[in-house]
Structure formats: C-alpha cells, structure tokens
C-alpha cells in the first residue's frame, strides 16, 4: 500500500477551499430531515463542510492527515463558537469505534491512495458507519486528464502520483463505474453522478469525478467480489 500524504495547505487557494460545495447544502438539509445526527467529515481539509454541518446542528467529527488543515479548522471553529471534534489521523486506520456515525461525508479525499489502500479505507468506513448510515463521497474517474494524459509517475494500474502544488507526492486513485458497483456490495446505492468539471480555476480543464450517495445495508458486512 502506498504511503499516505496529507495536503500541503500552505499552497492551496484559501478562498476556494473555505467555501462549501453546492451538494453540502443539499445533504445537510436531507440528512437533517432524515433525523441523522452524527457526521464524520473524513479528510476535512480546512473544514469548510464541518463548519457548515455544525452550523446546521449536526455533531461533527472532522478528521484529516494534515495537521495544518486541522489547525486551521480549530482556529475557525473557535472564532465562530462551534463545537467540532477534530482529529489528525489516517483514513487507513480510523481512531473511531464501530458504528459511531450516522453519516460519512468525504469530498475529494478517498482517491488519495492506491488500489490496495482504497479497499482498506472502504472497510474502515463500513466499520465506523452505522448500519443504515449514509455516505456521500467522490472518486476520481479514469476519464480525468491526469489519469489519461498527464504523464504523472505511475504507482499501479489505477494510481498516479501528483508531482506539484498542494498535492505534491499525494497519490491519486482512479476508477470506472463498474469498479464502484463492485466495491459497494455492502451499500444500497442511491445515485452516482459522473461529472466533468470542464472549466475550473480560470481555465479549460478535464477534471472528471464520480459523486456517490449510498446507504450501508443493515444485514451485516460481506466480502465484495473485487
Ligand atoms: C482535496 S482535499 C479535500 C478537503 C475537504 N474534503 C474539502 O472538500 O474541502 C483532500 C484532503 O484529504 C486529506 N488526506 C489525504 N490523505 C489522507 C489520509 N490518508 N487520511 C486522512 N486525510 C487524508 C488531505 O490532507 C486533504 O486535506
């Protein structure tokens, strides 16, 4: 399994990464109406979604490998007077009890691994999520230009290593739809979107991700056919 590496948040665009994504408002509303209470923001970064969910009344735990990210969120939550549990940790080995969370939110995070690592992380998420719990997460698509064309160093047949910016030496794992369907045998899939973010940061891009909403089945965990 490739060595994990957190983001170098000093190199990132603070304005961009402190503004919650569009879907977070939708899920805050949906999960509240469904009576969900506890959310793990896995790979919280600077904490934009943790802050949003905490403002909406959820009990939020924010976890990230980057001490810088967690420091930023600690300052932010104190400034706005919100209670958020923060943890520096590796998503390969989560320091949480089984069945601890109603929801896991993980936005542009779980792809920061390789093929072997992804399976470990998925098992960890299945462990900490309650049966019937919700997950919303994103994965990099094999249609993305960084996988298809960019010439980054190859880690395994699904994984490349980024070589500059805030993601320097951070692995990126890429999938296609059938991989996701195989991996998620313990979940009922609600929806999967395949989105090309074709203009971003002021220029034409070909950034392609899967956006996945699923619910952990209630009948126990099984080994998936992967
Ligand atoms: C693209 S950023 C997304 C941050 C946040 N989810 C957001 O949407 O603002 C990816 C985050 O994943 C974290 N990360 C990478 N590998 C990790 C690991 N093994 N365990 C925990 N966090 C990790 C990085 O440090 C970074 O903060």
């Amino acid at each position: 399994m490739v060595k994990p590496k957190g983001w170098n948040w000093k190199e990132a665009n603070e304005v961009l990464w402190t503004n919650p994504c569009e879907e977070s408002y939708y899920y805050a509303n949906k999960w509240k109406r469904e009576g969900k209470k506890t959310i793990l923001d896995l790979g919280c970064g600077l904490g934009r979604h943790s802050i949003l969910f905490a403002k909406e009344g959820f009990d939020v735990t924010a976890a990230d490998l980057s001490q810088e990210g967690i420091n930023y969120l600690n300052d932010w939550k104190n400034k706005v007077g919100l209670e958020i549990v923060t943890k520096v940790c590796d998503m390969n080995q989560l320091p949480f009890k089984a069945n601890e969370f109603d929801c896991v939110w993980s936005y542009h995070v779980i792809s920061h691994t390789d093929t072997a690592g992804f399976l470990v992380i998925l098992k960890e998420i299945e462990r900490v999520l309650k049966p019937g719990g919700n997950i919303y997460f994103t994965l990099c698509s094999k249609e993305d230009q960084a996988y298809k064309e960019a010439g980054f160093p190859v880690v395994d047949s699904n994984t490349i290593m980024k070589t500059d910016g805030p993601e320097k030496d951070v692995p990126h794992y890429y999938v296609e739809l059938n991989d996701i369907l195989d991996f998620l045998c313990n979940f009922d899939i609600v929806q999967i979107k395949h989105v090309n973010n074709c203009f971003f940061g002021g220029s034409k891009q070909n950034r392609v991700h899967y956006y996945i909403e699923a619910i952990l089945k209630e009948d126990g965990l099984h080994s998936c056919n992967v």
Side-chain angles (χ1 to χ4, degrees):
M1 193 165 72
V2 72
K3 193 168 177 287
K5 182 164 181 295
W7 263 38
N8 175 5
W9 278 105
K10 286 196 190 79
E11 294 224 11
N13 178 332
E14 184 179 349
V15 174
L16 182 73
W17 289 100
T18 49
N19 199 17
C21 71
E22 292 160 38
E23 310 92 279
S24 57
Y25 297 93
Y26 171 81
Y27 284 101
N29 185 49
K30 184 170 194 254
W31 289 346
K32 202 155 43 164
R33 292 180 64 175
E34 290 172 359
K36 306 292 180 179
K37 194 70 190 141
T38 50
I39 297 186
L40 171 62
D41 183 3
L42 181 58
C44 61
L46 302 181
R48 56 185 178 151
H49 302 122
S50 295
I51 294 283
L52 174 81
F53 290 133
K55 276 186 185 157
E56 291 295 328
F58 292 96
D59 294 338
V60 179
T61 299
D64 203 288
L65 192 57
S66 163
Q67 181 71 61
E68 275 171 342
I70 294 294
N71 289 348
Y72 189 100
L73 175 55
N74 283 336
D75 287 347
W76 191 359
K77 73 170 184 176
N78 291 338
K79 242 178 249 163
V80 293
L82 287 169
E83 297 243 348
I84 296 171
V85 176
T86 56
K87 283 254 187 278
V88 175
C89 64
D90 181 356
M91 60 186 164
N92 290 288
Q93 207 175 6
L94 293 174
F96 307 116
K97 295 196 296 273
N99 305 342
E100 194 165 332
F101 299 102
D102 294 324
C103 306
V104 172
W105 169 271
S106 194
Y107 199 83
H108 294 336
V109 176
I110 303 176
S111 292
H112 292 329
T113 185
D114 59 6
T115 304
F118 178 75
L119 294 173
V120 173
I121 294 159
L122 192 58
K123 285 272 151 285
E124 277 296 83
I125 290 171
E126 289 175 349
R127 183 182 66 77
V128 301
L129 193 55
K130 288 180 188 164
N134 300 56
I135 179 162
Y136 186 76
F137 69 111
T138 64
L139 286 173
C140 297
S141 164
K142 284 189 173 174
E143 299 291 315
D144 190 284
Q145 72 189 23
Y147 179 75
K148 289 209 304 192
E149 301 145 22
F152 289 110
V154 172
V155 176
D156 65 37
S157 59
N158 303 309
T159 313
I160 55 104
M161 191 66 85
K162 291 276 176 86
T163 48
D164 52 16
E167 298 188 311
K168 184 170 168 16
D169 299 331
V170 178
H172 282 67
Y173 167 72
Y174 296 83
V175 294
E176 46 198 53
L177 178 60
N178 283 338
D179 301 328
I180 303 172
L181 301 181
D182 289 342
F183 292 140
L184 292 187
C185 78
N186 286 312
F187 290 83
D188 291 318
I189 296 170
V190 179
Q191 60 169 329
I192 301 176
K193 292 181 184 165
H194 191 218
V195 179
N196 187 343
N197 207 345
C198 53
F199 193 96
F200 181 77
S203 63
K204 268 167 84 178
Q205 305 269 344
N206 183 27
R207 295 186 179 209
V208 193
H209 291 90
Y210 290 98
Y211 294 77
I212 303 152
E213 178 186 0
I215 298 173
L216 190 63
K217 289 180 182 169
E218 308 241 12
D219 62 349
L221 299 177
H222 305 281
S223 295
C224 297
N225 193 15
V226 289

